[in-house]
Amino acid sequence: AFQESGGSADFIDSMKPVDGDLICAKKGLCAFFGTDLGDLLEKNGIDTIILAGFLTNCCIESTMRTAYEKGYKVITLFDCCCAASIDAHESSFKHSFEMFSIRTTSNLVEFSS
């Protein structure tokens, strides 16, 4: 079972939210399902999503497909995602991500606050 806070659910220090960050508690495989993510993005005029995280071939892929279907520009950071195996990670990018997402790496993305 997953916990909403404490232990492995907490943000690591270098990624803790700061004032103005949007926070959406994910409830399933897709970050849109059962959450207010779509509303938060729309309310704040956000049309591009950058994906990173665990289970490339499951959670990240589910969120990518839904975001694409909702009309968002989707960018996925290849070096900031992982799966249970390297083969699963690479296969997802080879077969699914190139249809619905722009593949890039974290060193090629410029973040601003």
Side-chain angles (χ1 to χ4, degrees):
F2 293 100
Q3 300 177 42
E4 191 157 326
S5 63
S8 62
D10 288 338
F11 286 98
I12 61 171
D13 288 339
S14 63
M15 296 189 75
K16 285 191 189 244
V18 297
D19 289 342
D21 283 354
L22 303 177
I23 300 171
C24 177
K26 195 170 121 215
K27 306 209 184 301
L29 301 178
C30 174
F32 287 93
F33 179 76
T35 71
D36 62 347
L37 178 59
D39 292 336
L40 285 170
L41 296 171
E42 185 177 331
K43 179 181 172 183
N44 289 279
I46 297 169
D47 62 2
T48 301
I49 297 175
I50 299 175
L51 297 176
F54 183 61
L55 279 187
T56 307
N57 56 333
C58 185
C59 301
I60 302 300
E61 189 168 335
S62 294
T63 300
M64 172 205 56
R65 288 174 184 268
T66 301
Y68 179 85
E69 289 179 358
K70 289 180 174 286
Y72 292 98
K73 178 180 180 181
V74 183
I75 299 168
T76 308
L77 303 178
F78 182 79
D79 62 328
C80 294
C81 297
C82 65
S85 72
I86 292 171
D87 286 341
H89 173 73
E90 291 177 350
S91 179
S92 287
F93 272 92
K94 181 178 179 183
H95 298 290
S96 295
F97 282 80
E98 62 187 32
M99 291 186 288
F100 307 107
S101 176
I102 297 167
R103 173 185 166 159
T104 192
T105 55
S106 59
N107 64 324
L108 297 176
V109 176
E110 184 177 318
F111 297 96
S112 61
S113 52

